[in-house]
Amino acid sequence: MALAFTSSISAPTSTFPSSEPKLPQIGSIRISERPIGGAVNFNLSQRRSLVKPVNAEPPRKDSIVPLAATTIVASASETKEEDFEQIASDLDNASPLEIMDRALDKFGNDIAIAFSGAEDVALIEYAKLTGRPFRVFSLDTGRLNPETYQLFDAVEKHYGIRIEYMFPDAVEVQALVRSKGLFSFYEDGHQECCRVRKVRPLRRALKGLRAWITGQRKDQSPGTRSEIPVVQVDPVFEGMDGGIGSLVKWNPVANVKGHDIWNFLRTMNVPVNSLHAKGYVSIGCEPCTRPVLPGQHEREGRWWWEDAKAKECGLHKGNVKQQKEEDVNGNGLSQSHANGDATTVPDIFNSPNVVNLSRTGIENLAKLEDRKEPWLVVLYAPWCPYCQAMEESYVDLADKLAGSTGMKVGKFRADGEQKEFAKSELQLGSFPTILFFPKHSSRPTIKYPSEKRDVDSLMAFVNALR
Amino acid sequence: MALAVSTTSSSSAAAAAAASSSFFSRLGSSSDAKAPQIGSFRFPERPQVSSGVVNLTQRRSSVRPLNAEPQRNDSVVPLAATIVAPEVEKEKEDFEQLAKDLENSSPLEIMDKALEKFGNDIAIAFSGAEDVALIEYAHLTGRPYRVFSLDTGRLNPETYKFFDAVEKHYGIHIEYMFPDAVEVQALVRTKGLFSFYEDGHQECCRVRKVRPLRRALKGLKAWITGQRKDQSPGTRSEIPIVQVDPVFEGLDGGIGSLVKWNPVANVNGLDIWNFLRTMNVPVNSLHSQGYVSIGCEPCTRPVLPGQHEREGRWWWEDAKAKECGLHKGNLKQEDAAQLNGNGTSQGNGSATVADIFISQNVVSLSRSGIENLAKLENRKEHWLVVLYAPWCRFCQAMEESYVDLAEKLARSGVKVAKFRADGEQKEYAKSELQLGSFPTILLFPKHSSQPIKYPSEKRDVDSLTAFVNALR
């Protein structure tokens, strides 16, 4: 994937102040026939201190450094446009190496290669083959794959260069992720995130250049095939001198197919991103390169018997279960589940250490501002197989907590007539529901979140909260 | 791993102020109404309600906290007050006393006290590890709470996903801090992206963690960390439950303006994990992949980028070498001599070993021939030249491919040639022709003084053809 950007028309912020000695001007630059030596040196020195290029080789003495010159708008614009259109025509059948050589020859230290961490590393190889000095910049969005950072490092070492990394503005990133989170692009689309992490840093980088080199190819965007010339005045971004037409864009591999790019990389032993070997075709930021939403967490744990239908008795299934229980008993008597009047299914959690709470009892417990002790209460239905399964654990727990711990264990039958009350006031969602009532009611009642209802797990819950 | 930050004494308050982003500058402006003061604040007996309301409104608009629950009416909002210096000691004494009082309290009780005391001026520092327990405790208090995290720009992808899961699980918005662009660019442009493997982590951590942390704390009066004694046995006695922060400055500026709470200081790691499992707290998936401590991705699994295995293998196995190295040249020569069973000297042109690359399509270059070729600025054609030694096994192995290539390229605008570069010619070839080992293949382009060396060991016809086509 070559460096492809969506653009916005908002005014860019620049971290590269323009050189003071230059007068502001309209129109594009031209190469003066006889450069002024002193000005040239001054210019070079100033730019170096701003962008700190570290090239593999010193710039050639015979390279032409373009100087700003005032020209009339009409003739400058037309002449410049014509010039680059002509150059694009001349170079349309040239090899990438020839185009790269021409670009570096023409713009010297005011041009840089945009390297995204993908197969556009070929651009760097071509630049090296010209024997000319060259600059490279990359956009570190703060969310790239680790493999991409490793490739950047390998490329720096392989070619003996320093990549001029661009990083997004802290205030802009913070504003985005604080209001919309770290994965807003899955919901809003990528435009806003790309603008903050890619486009605006790119704009800042280009303001320090007069030309740039991209790895864009026609075969990557068949719909705009005829619209990627090998060189053009950049229609979107602005360069060092400001204004439309102040930046030239070179696309040396526009006419090369992906297949041939890869042959070139293999032949020349160019370092490549290890993600390609893992099946990635296009490479960008990590969340967008393998766009998967964070997986739903599998429901934790399993009960000690398999039941594909449910792990809990849902309220909407209450009647079904009840009927099922009836079928098992094989009698047709209607089951009245009035509180305290259970004749068909025997009650559970019978223990002197488990307090049986009436409706009034649990209402009072919920209202109390200062309880003498914290309470653990199970909301249950005696016919619920999951409540039955935890009976032994809960009674054991009550036995353990009895006496010296200052902890009360209770039960409240919440089916039948009590169901609606328990749903609205006691967080009942399914049977069983286990609640912790803290000693001081400035804290809310806490519902046990796990399905692990063995003694040790319940004890850990109690100890964590009292 | 709790948020552990190394600090540098060289940083000054002015530098910290300069590093503040405009985002937090608004916080500074919100405290214009307060007189600058020395020392820490105290709670006035009777807070001024109207002033407090203004304060809250201003702070909310500046930092945009989004809490799970609305602010309680009964929370105490601290107001700044001018106090005389001797009372500073009293304030410090208060926190020392408070730390003693809370020494045997549960993490939940400590968290509750911290949130009650500081309300909206306190936040939890969450690193993306098991310190998520702090958020669960805060949630359990039922009080509103704030959380901030340091996004260094180099965290593991799993950690970003975990931040997102935590936000959804608790219905909160984490206040992410991001490093300053100019500072990061200055670091990685001069020292690269992996300078910590060579210089140590201090400089990188300062840029990506410490300075953003400093900016975050300048907006707070207190913070909550997941530091534990069992993580640093050497300083066991030095992690109190609550303390005046000895390093960082808070909202009001100056030493003593920030209070640091460590609610799980006395809890050991095993119990933290029991708590997380019991409460069904979301955790970072890296833990199930065997990571014990979690930080930035390159430092969490600190491996250097692997050396690229030398590409390809030759078509026969030779564990000793894939090329004839110059430092082994004589040895190989001796090998060849021994193979032939005679000790005759191998002068140039007087070959005991039969010459190779003999073909009418391969031009044999003399010393002066290749010197002239190298000097030319404009050649009529591209030239492909092999620097070889006839006794070199690897040169012999590629003979057939090279001759086939020469036949293919005949009359195509590319000349194919050979130059024998052993013996007397070796030093010349080393210094002028990039000879590093036998064979060395060079392309002399039509318009260029610089020959290009073939970088691969794949010397079959197709690979060599691809090299030529790529460059002509």
Side-chain angles (χ1 to χ4, degrees):
Chain A
M1 183 196 83
L3 213 57
F5 298 95
T6 57
S7 63
S8 89
I9 51 176
S10 63
T13 56
S14 171
T15 55
F16 299 99
S18 56
S19 305
E20 289 181 8
K22 297 181 184 176
L23 296 173
Q25 61 174 339
I26 299 172
S28 52
I29 61 177
R30 63 190 291 186
I31 302 176
S32 70
E33 292 298 325
R34 295 173 182 171
I36 305 171
V40 169
N41 291 332
F42 181 73
N43 232 357
L44 280 175
S45 175
Q46 208 169 8
R47 272 199 301 274
R48 280 185 193 282
S49 66
L50 288 173
V51 300
K52 303 183 207 171
V54 178
N55 294 319
E57 301 167 37
R60 287 164 180 256
K61 293 177 182 174
D62 60 354
S63 70
I64 300 174
V65 180
L67 294 177
T70 304
T71 59
I72 52 180
V73 174
S75 69
S77 172
E78 188 57 33
T79 302
K80 184 56 64 180
E81 290 282 345
E82 192 64 36
D83 280 354
F84 283 109
E85 284 177 6
Q86 185 58 48
I87 294 174
S89 297
D90 294 346
L91 291 171
D92 203 51
N93 292 307
S95 72
L97 186 51
E98 287 169 324
I99 300 167
M100 178 66 74
D101 189 60
R102 174 70 76 100
L104 296 178
D105 182 30
K106 204 170 183 64
F107 286 96
N109 204 47
D110 288 334
I111 191 172
I113 294 163
F115 173 45
S116 73
E119 71 267 25
D120 53 353
V121 65
L123 298 171
I124 303 177
E125 180 66 23
Y126 283 124
K128 184 200 166 192
L129 291 172
T130 66
R132 296 181 187 274
F134 59 93
R135 290 168 64 189
V136 178
F137 74 91
S138 294
L139 304 180
D140 174 2
T141 64
R143 296 290 291 276
L144 300 176
N145 291 81
E147 291 87 346
T148 301
Y149 290 113
Q150 288 160 21
L151 174 68
F152 285 153
D153 192 56
V155 165
E156 285 191 326
K157 292 188 164 80
H158 184 83
Y159 293 102
I161 61 174
R162 283 289 185 198
I163 295 172
E164 297 166 42
Y165 301 101
M166 298 298 301
F167 201 69
D169 181 73
V171 173
E172 291 173 18
V173 172
Q174 288 169 189
L176 171 65
V177 297
R178 289 179 180 210
S179 57
K180 296 195 170 182
L182 292 162
F183 294 90
S184 56
F185 36 83
Y186 291 153
E187 296 153 21
D188 294 348
H190 66 278
Q191 283 81 9
E192 184 174 11
C193 193
C194 283
R195 184 170 71 246
V196 166
R197 292 183 185 263
K198 284 184 169 179
V199 177
R200 289 170 75 82
L202 173 64
R203 215 177 269 279
R204 278 176 10 227
L206 298 178
K207 286 293 283 181
L209 299 168
R210 292 204 163 98
W212 63 315
I213 300 165
T214 84
Q216 279 191 320
R217 304 198 311 265
K218 288 177 180 175
D219 69 344
Q220 290 170 328
S221 48
T224 62
R225 181 173 297 277
S226 62
E227 290 176 28
I228 305 186
V230 297
V231 60
Q232 67 191 136
V233 175
D234 197 299
V236 173
F237 295 106
E238 298 179 12
M240 187 185 297
D241 297 326
I244 297 298
S246 59
L247 186 71
V248 177
K249 184 181 182 187
W250 297 77
N251 308 300
V253 295
N255 297 324
V256 184
K257 290 186 165 45
H259 180 63
D260 291 326
I261 291 282
W262 279 101
N263 282 340
F264 176 69
L265 297 176
R266 278 190 290 267
T267 298
M268 302 306 292
N269 251 2
V270 176
V272 296
N273 197 317
S274 61
L275 291 172
H276 293 297
K278 300 178 188 178
Y280 291 75
V281 173
S282 87
I283 288 172
C285 292
E286 184 274 330
C288 296
T289 294
R290 187 187 54 216
V292 292
L293 290 166
Q296 287 284 332
H297 185 66
E298 283 294 333
R299 295 194 65 198
E300 186 191 67
R302 273 185 249 203
W303 211 240
W304 50 86
W305 69 87
E306 290 291 340
D307 187 336
K309 294 179 184 177
K311 290 191 193 304
E312 291 176 328
C313 294
L315 291 180
H316 65 288
K317 296 175 178 174
N319 291 331
V320 174
K321 287 294 179 181
Q322 201 165 316
Q323 192 169 60
K324 193 173 183 180
E325 193 70 24
E326 189 174 9
D327 291 343
V328 168
N329 286 321
N331 65 65
L333 288 178
S334 166
Q335 300 184 36
S336 167
H337 289 292
N339 193 39
D341 182 15
T343 53
T344 308
V345 182
D347 198 14
I348 55 177
F349 306 119
N350 297 315
S351 161
N353 295 315
V354 177
V355 178
N356 186 16
L357 292 166
S358 64
R359 165 72 174 260
T360 307
I362 201 166
E363 281 174 340
N364 288 336
L365 184 62
K367 283 175 192 169
L368 279 178
E369 290 291 325
D370 246 291
R371 307 177 184 101
K372 294 176 190 172
E373 299 143 312
W375 282 74
L376 191 75
V377 178
V378 62
L379 313 180
Y380 73 100
W383 45 260
C384 167
Y386 308 105
C387 300
Q388 293 166 10
M390 72 171 275
E391 180 179 19
E392 185 175 356
S393 298
Y394 198 69
V395 169
D396 283 353
L397 178 71
D399 292 345
K400 282 191 171 185
L401 293 173
S404 58
T405 59
M407 182 85 201
K408 276 285 198 279
V409 178
K411 68 176 185 179
F412 175 67
R413 182 168 175 172
D415 62 341
E417 290 172 17
Q418 311 303 342
K419 192 160 72 175
E420 291 310 310
F421 160 76
K423 277 172 74 180
S424 64
E425 304 297 329
L426 297 177
Q427 305 182 54
L428 178 67
S430 59
F431 295 118
T433 291
I434 301 166
L435 302 175
F436 181 88
F437 293 83
K439 197 172 175 180
H440 306 294
S441 71
S442 57
R443 292 192 234 144
T445 303
I446 299 157
K447 184 173 165 178
Y448 184 60
S450 172
E451 289 171 13
K452 294 176 174 174
R453 304 184 183 116
D454 58 290
V455 180
D456 290 339
S457 299
L458 291 169
M459 185 68 77
F461 174 65
V462 168
N463 285 338
L465 298 178
R466 71 180 177 180
Chain B
M1 185 196 81
L3 200 66
V5 180
S6 64
T7 61
T8 161
S9 58
S10 63
S11 101
S12 65
S20 294
S21 65
S22 61
F23 183 82
F24 284 102
S25 295
R26 286 197 293 274
L27 266 183
S29 67
S30 76
S31 61
D32 281 345
K34 304 176 184 178
Q37 59 176 339
I38 298 172
S40 54
F41 60 86
R42 62 191 293 190
F43 291 95
E45 291 300 324
R46 295 172 183 173
Q48 303 169 35
V49 174
S50 62
S51 177
V53 170
V54 170
N55 235 353
L56 278 174
T57 302
Q58 237 172 343
R59 271 198 301 271
R60 281 188 190 280
S61 65
S62 297
V63 301
R64 298 184 228 166
L66 293 175
N67 295 318
E69 298 167 42
Q71 186 85 14
R72 284 169 180 255
N73 292 329
D74 61 353
S75 70
V76 179
V77 179
L79 295 176
T82 304
I83 54 177
V84 294
E87 297 192 52
V88 173
E89 183 59 32
K90 180 180 178 182
E91 192 64 29
K92 283 194 176 181
E93 191 65 37
D94 280 354
F95 283 112
E96 286 177 6
Q97 183 59 45
L98 189 55
K100 291 199 178 82
D101 293 344
L102 293 169
E103 181 70 10
N104 292 307
S105 298
S106 71
L108 186 50
E109 288 168 325
I110 300 165
M111 178 67 73
D112 190 60
K113 173 72 80 165
L115 296 178
E116 176 183 30
K117 208 171 180 63
F118 287 95
N120 204 48
D121 288 330
I122 191 172
I124 295 164
F126 173 46
S127 72
E130 71 268 24
D131 54 351
V132 65
L134 298 172
I135 303 177
E136 180 65 23
Y137 284 124
H139 182 72
L140 291 172
T141 66
R143 294 182 188 274
Y145 58 94
R146 291 167 64 188
V147 178
F148 75 91
S149 294
L150 304 179
D151 174 2
T152 63
R154 296 289 292 275
L155 300 175
N156 291 80
E158 291 87 347
T159 300
Y160 290 113
K161 291 172 190 166
F162 180 42
F163 284 152
D164 193 56
V166 166
E167 285 191 325
K168 292 187 163 80
H169 183 83
Y170 293 103
I172 61 174
H173 276 270
I174 296 172
E175 297 167 43
Y176 300 101
M177 298 298 301
F178 201 69
D180 181 72
V182 173
E183 292 173 18
V184 172
Q185 288 169 189
L187 171 65
V188 296
R189 289 180 181 208
T190 56
K191 296 195 171 182
L193 291 163
F194 294 90
S195 56
F196 35 84
Y197 292 153
E198 296 154 21
D199 294 348
H201 65 278
Q202 283 81 9
E203 184 174 10
C204 192
C205 283
R206 183 169 72 244
V207 166
R208 292 184 185 263
K209 283 183 169 180
V210 177
R211 290 170 75 82
L213 173 63
R214 210 177 276 277
R215 278 175 11 227
L217 298 178
K218 286 292 283 179
L220 298 167
K221 286 179 169 145
W223 63 316
I224 301 165
T225 84
Q227 279 191 321
R228 305 198 311 266
K229 288 177 181 175
D230 69 342
Q231 290 170 328
S232 48
T235 61
R236 179 174 298 276
S237 62
E238 290 176 29
I239 305 185
I241 299 296
V242 58
Q243 66 191 137
V244 175
D245 197 298
V247 174
F248 295 106
E249 298 179 12
L251 186 56
D252 297 325
I255 297 297
S257 58
L258 185 72
V259 177
K260 183 181 183 188
W261 296 77
N262 308 300
V264 295
N266 296 326
V267 184
N268 60 49
L270 185 68
D271 289 329
I272 291 282
W273 279 101
N274 283 339
F275 176 68
L276 297 176
R277 278 191 290 270
T278 298
M279 301 307 292
N280 251 2
V281 177
V283 296
N284 195 320
S285 64
L286 290 173
H287 292 296
S288 63
Q289 300 173 33
Y291 291 76
V292 173
S293 88
I294 288 171
C296 292
E297 184 274 331
C299 294
T300 295
R301 188 188 53 218
V303 292
L304 290 166
Q307 287 283 332
H308 185 67
E309 283 293 334
R310 294 194 65 198
E311 189 189 64
R313 270 186 253 202
W314 210 239
W315 50 87
W316 69 88
E317 289 292 339
D318 186 336
K320 293 180 184 175
K322 290 192 194 303
E323 292 176 326
C324 295
L326 289 181
H327 65 288
K328 298 174 176 174
N330 291 331
L331 180 59
K332 287 294 177 182
Q333 200 164 320
E334 192 166 67
D335 271 350
Q338 287 170 3
L339 283 179
N340 287 317
N342 63 64
T344 308
S345 161
Q346 306 183 31
N348 191 40
S350 166
T352 306
V353 181
D355 198 13
I356 55 177
F357 305 121
I358 299 176
S359 162
Q360 58 183 355
N361 296 311
V362 177
V363 178
S364 179
L365 292 169
S366 63
R367 165 72 174 262
S368 56
I370 200 165
E371 280 174 342
N372 288 335
L373 185 63
K375 283 176 193 168
L376 282 177
E377 290 289 331
N378 259 281
R379 308 178 186 92
K380 293 176 189 172
E381 295 149 309
H382 305 292
W383 283 75
L384 190 73
V385 180
V386 62
L387 312 180
Y388 73 101
W391 45 260
C392 167
R393 184 178 355 174
F394 307 105
C395 299
Q396 292 166 11
M398 71 171 275
E399 180 179 19
E400 184 175 357
S401 298
Y402 199 69
V403 168
D404 283 352
L405 178 70
E407 287 167 4
K408 277 191 170 186
L409 293 175
R411 289 172 298 281
S412 69
V414 179
K415 274 283 198 283
V416 179
K418 65 179 185 180
F419 174 67
R420 183 170 175 171
D422 63 340
E424 291 171 17
Q425 310 304 342
K426 191 161 74 174
E427 291 311 310
Y428 160 76
K430 277 171 75 179
S431 64
E432 303 298 328
L433 296 177
Q434 304 182 54
L435 178 67
S437 58
F438 295 119
T440 290
I441 300 167
L442 304 174
L443 181 75
F444 292 82
K446 208 168 169 181
H447 314 290
S448 173
S449 56
Q450 278 293 315
I452 299 160
K453 184 172 167 179
Y454 183 60
S456 172
E457 289 171 13
K458 293 176 174 174
R459 304 185 182 116
D460 58 291
V461 180
D462 289 340
S463 298
L464 290 169
T465 302
F467 173 65
V468 170
N469 285 339
L471 297 178
R472 73 175 175 180

